[in-house]
Amino acid sequence: MHTLHDRSRFRRWRAAVVAVAVAIQVSCGGGDPSEQPTPPANPAAITAISTTTLTGTAGLAVATLPSVRVTSSSGSGVAGVTVTFAVTSGGGSVTGGTATTDANGVATVGGWTLGAVAGVNTMTARVALLNLVTFTATSTAGPATSVTISPTIAAAAPNAFVNFVAQSQVGAPAPATWRVNGIVGGTQALGLISAAGKYTAPRTIPDGDSVVVSAVLASDTTQRSASTVFFVPNLATKNYYVPIPRVVDTPHPQPMRFLLVPPEGVTAVNYLPSAGPAVPLTDIGNGVLSFQVDAATALVGYQIGTLHNVIGRLDYRTAAGTSFQITNLSVNVRDATMPDVVVTPVAADAQRSPYVLNIRVDTATINAGTQVVAHALQLLGGDRFDFVDVVASVTTNNNRNYVALRNDITGIGVGVFDNSAIAGGTGRLRGMISFPLDGFFDGAELGFIHEAGHSWINFATDPVLASGAPHWPASTMALGVMGLSIPASGAGGQFPWALTPIGHDSVRINRATPNSFFTPLDLYLMGLIPTDSVPPVYVLPLTIASPLVDGMQSPATTYTIADYVAKQGPRVPASAAAPRTFATAVVVLTYGRLMTESEMTFFDMAASRAETIVLLRSTAGLVTVDAPGFFLATGRRATMRTRLP
């Protein structure tokens, strides 16, 4: 599906221009070069020198602190290098997350407190421009104690509050010392907690997706209990959910927790799994609901190599118990066909793999914005792309959409314009594409191809074709990748009907399977075939009776390429001079943290599939479909590069 962005609705964006001052150090003087200090070696590698596989107790610190060594190309340790340790899954927390290597090139994290819920925890150590090192800790539930903390799981946003209560085993208040990530009273960066147990979240989300709040019994410091506080970007944005982690990793399975912020007017949400009874979501405070799915359950029915798996539905209910909406719930799956990728830091808020740029934004960013795109282009070395595709930081049920930023083609129904500078464009960038729903992101699948097609289709101004803009009206073109515009909404939909001319300006309508390939008229508008390769097309009248019936006959308008050229003018540049190689940058947004290696591996594979030259299989919603990629969708006439420079 697609949100309407036709010629009359091009978005005009205003973005702040951020000037970056570059300081150049100039040395003056005439000392003897032989007396100059030896320049420090450049970091070339980072490796773990402590074990990367740990065990521990939920809610407590690990006994063995993760430690790494940074070396030069000669293998010697490099001193003075900043190493950043960050929790990437499991709901744990870190202290002393920024460490500097000693004379031997060694850096050690200050402390790692595991999440309050037993399971798998991961932490990464990173140095700019080097690969990540990942540490994995499996925690088990601790022994019963004489103090319990309530709530055991909570949700917060920047500046929000959570009230905790410590109780004895008999339910009486238990005097306790409160800590955040092991620090008594917390900190401004992690959030502060009062002696009475009131936790105040910081102004910005701490590194990671959560912190651990613990109560230590005043009379016996060996007795303690812990709770995990998960973060959402803010309390104002509604109707989205966040999976933690974002990917089910089949080689390293762990439970997946969902944080869900329902729309206004919804008071209860049930998870309806594909099999089994409904599961009510737990209210964890500040308007956030939560539930957990184990990896084995999330993988039931998954087909290897299809990227996604529908695990059930979300049933939203009002206070009166009436249904507000029901939506499908799918998960991203990293399976054995996806080998590890190299993940490289590129900035404090960004990292990249061969095919994906991951940017931390700390907001509920749903649609691509010019500031995000401009930042991405800056990180990737400038305007080297025709399109920038942005996968949202949270998951919603919004439609994909394309926003045009530049057009240099005449004869397709829209004038020449260039607004790309507001998104960092300097002459190549044509548009930006939003993917608000992870479950439909796949470079080889229809959606990815369809949105790129909106750079050329459909801007016709004649009444026969304009009625379907920005897609096609009910016609022979609508059976292809661009589909038709659903009446009254403009959103894209499928047209599962073939039209066969039977003479006398009439056609026979027969049920057909929509395909993921561009039609000849599409290819002409894209500059991939000349006018003499476009056969006549047939367009049904707007007043045709609905629903259509297999085998029915209908009047139809016969429309030729000569009709198109007569109204819009010839395409310039013509197919002989039009480009056939295009490039897309895929940007995945996250809040609170950057993605784990497993998550990067999944999205890297999903983005790389845009370059396929063979037919693949993909799960799109409830069905598994053929996914041709751009090359096959254009009849082997054009390529789409998604590998980043």
Side-chain angles (χ1 to χ4, degrees):
M1 297 175 67
H2 171 80
T3 302
L4 177 59
H5 286 285
D6 62 16
R7 62 186 182 282
S8 64
R9 298 182 61 186
F10 287 124
R11 296 183 178 178
R12 299 189 178 274
W13 301 83
R14 296 183 182 274
V17 177
V18 180
V20 180
V22 179
I24 300 176
Q25 183 177 1
V26 179
S27 299
C28 299
D32 185 347
S34 65
E35 298 177 356
Q36 299 302 312
T38 301
N42 291 324
I46 177 174
T47 56
I49 59 173
S50 64
T51 178
T52 58
T53 304
L54 303 90
T55 59
T57 302
L60 300 182
V62 296
T64 302
L65 295 178
S67 183
V68 296
R69 185 169 187 252
V70 179
T71 54
S72 66
S73 57
S74 66
S76 59
V78 182
V81 177
T82 298
V83 179
T84 302
F85 294 88
V87 172
T88 50
S89 72
S93 59
V94 62
T95 55
T98 301
T100 302
T101 57
D102 61 17
N104 296 315
V106 174
T108 304
V109 71
W112 181 12
T113 300
L114 304 181
V117 179
V120 178
N121 297 250
T122 58
M123 168 185 282
T124 58
R126 68 172 65 232
V127 170
L129 303 181
L130 300 183
N131 297 342
L132 295 173
V133 174
T134 300
F135 298 88
T136 301
T138 302
S139 66
T140 56
T145 67
S146 59
V147 61
T148 60
I149 186 173
S150 178
T152 57
I153 301 174
N159 299 316
F161 303 100
V162 179
N163 289 309
F164 289 97
V165 175
Q167 294 178 313
S168 67
Q169 289 182 329
V170 296
T177 300
W178 293 96
R179 304 182 181 186
V180 182
N181 286 6
I183 301 174
V184 176
T187 66
Q188 292 289 346
L190 298 172
L192 301 172
I193 191 163
S194 70
K198 183 179 181 178
Y199 171 74
T200 303
R203 292 189 301 172
T204 58
I205 299 173
D207 289 340
D209 48 38
S210 59
V211 296
V212 175
V213 170
S214 57
V216 180
L217 200 62
S219 59
D220 183 356
T221 57
T222 65
Q223 303 299 305
R224 63 186 64 196
S225 185
S227 171
T228 298
V229 181
F230 291 98
F231 286 90
V232 294
N234 61 64
L235 300 182
T237 305
K238 306 294 183 182
N239 200 12
Y240 67 87
Y241 66 84
V242 179
I244 303 173
R246 198 159 174 173
V247 170
V248 179
D249 189 328
T250 58
H252 309 286
Q254 59 177 295
M256 177 174 284
R257 177 169 295 281
F258 289 85
L259 306 179
L260 186 144
V261 181
E264 296 286 356
V266 169
T267 59
V269 183
N270 289 325
Y271 165 51
L272 308 176
S274 299
V279 178
L281 274 64
T282 301
D283 187 339
I284 60 174
N286 285 311
V288 180
L289 306 178
S290 181
F291 69 103
Q292 187 168 298
V293 177
D294 64 80
T297 300
L299 292 171
V300 172
Y302 173 68
Q303 299 182 43
I304 295 293
T306 60
L307 301 186
H308 310 103
N309 193 38
V310 176
I311 63 173
R313 296 174 295 163
L314 294 174
D315 179 15
Y316 298 77
R317 298 276 171 171
T318 66
T322 57
S323 179
F324 182 89
Q325 67 182 29
I326 296 180
T327 61
N328 294 321
L329 179 67
S330 66
V331 294
N332 303 321
V333 181
R334 186 262 175 108
D335 60 35
T337 67
M338 306 178 191
D340 292 341
V341 297
V342 175
V343 180
T344 307
V346 293
D349 63 345
Q351 62 184 1
R352 59 161 291 172
S353 61
Y355 285 88
V356 165
L357 175 68
N358 171 213
I359 300 177
R360 175 177 169 175
V361 292
D362 280 8
T363 58
T365 304
I366 297 169
N367 289 315
T370 54
Q371 288 177 303
V372 167
V373 173
H375 185 39
L377 293 183
Q378 179 189 41
L379 293 171
L380 294 173
D383 184 8
R384 305 180 182 186
F385 308 94
D386 301 281
F387 310 102
V388 175
D389 287 14
V390 179
V391 184
S393 63
V394 298
T395 298
T396 70
N397 289 301
N398 292 29
N399 291 333
R400 300 181 308 265
N401 63 79
Y402 173 80
V403 177
L405 296 172
R406 186 179 68 86
N407 176 58
D408 57 357
I409 304 165
T410 59
I412 63 173
V414 63
V416 173
F417 65 93
D418 190 352
N419 298 321
S420 65
I422 61 174
T426 56
R428 180 167 183 177
L429 182 64
R430 301 186 61 82
M432 53 189 187
I433 299 169
S434 298
F435 284 86
L437 188 62
D438 280 10
F440 285 87
F441 179 75
D442 178 355
E445 198 264 329
L446 171 66
F448 193 102
I449 302 164
H450 173 108
E451 297 305 329
H454 277 295
S455 181
W456 305 276
I457 308 159
N458 163 30
F459 302 107
T461 58
D462 64 82
V464 176
L465 300 183
S467 61
H471 306 92
W472 293 117
S475 62
T476 49
M477 297 86 71
L479 190 63
V481 64
M482 299 307 296
L484 87 166
S485 291
I486 299 173
S489 74
Q494 291 187 325
F495 181 70
W497 303 96
L499 309 182
T500 304
I502 56 176
H504 306 291
D505 295 323
S506 296
V507 294
R508 178 177 292 106
I509 303 173
N510 293 106
R511 183 167 291 278
T513 301
N515 64 67
S516 299
F517 303 94
F518 290 106
T519 68
L521 183 54
D522 296 333
L523 296 171
Y524 164 77
L525 295 171
M526 297 168 73
L528 301 180
I529 61 174
T531 54
D532 58 11
S533 295
V534 183
V537 298
Y538 304 95
V539 184
L540 298 180
L542 293 175
T543 56
I544 188 171
S546 182
L548 302 182
V549 177
D550 191 34
M552 70 182 290
Q553 297 181 15
S554 170
T557 299
T558 301
Y559 191 92
T560 68
I561 190 62
D563 296 325
Y564 198 100
V565 173
K567 180 65 177 179
Q568 315 300 340
R571 188 192 194 281
V572 179
S575 61
R580 281 167 165 71
T581 301
F582 303 95
T584 294
V586 173
V587 180
V588 181
L589 305 180
T590 48
Y591 75 88
R593 63 180 179 88
L594 294 172
M595 289 195 291
T596 66
E597 286 181 306
S598 174
E599 292 167 332
M600 288 292 290
T601 294
F602 168 82
F603 282 102
D604 189 89
M605 172 61 76
S608 71
R609 285 162 56 107
E611 297 182 355
T612 183
I613 59 174
V614 298
L615 204 62
L616 302 176
R617 296 291 284 170
S618 176
T619 296
L622 295 173
V623 297
T624 300
V625 298
D626 287 333
F630 195 76
F631 177 68
L632 293 181
T634 60
R636 303 174 181 267
R637 294 176 177 87
T639 59
M640 182 68 73
R641 176 177 57 82
T642 48
R643 189 177 184 93
L644 301 177

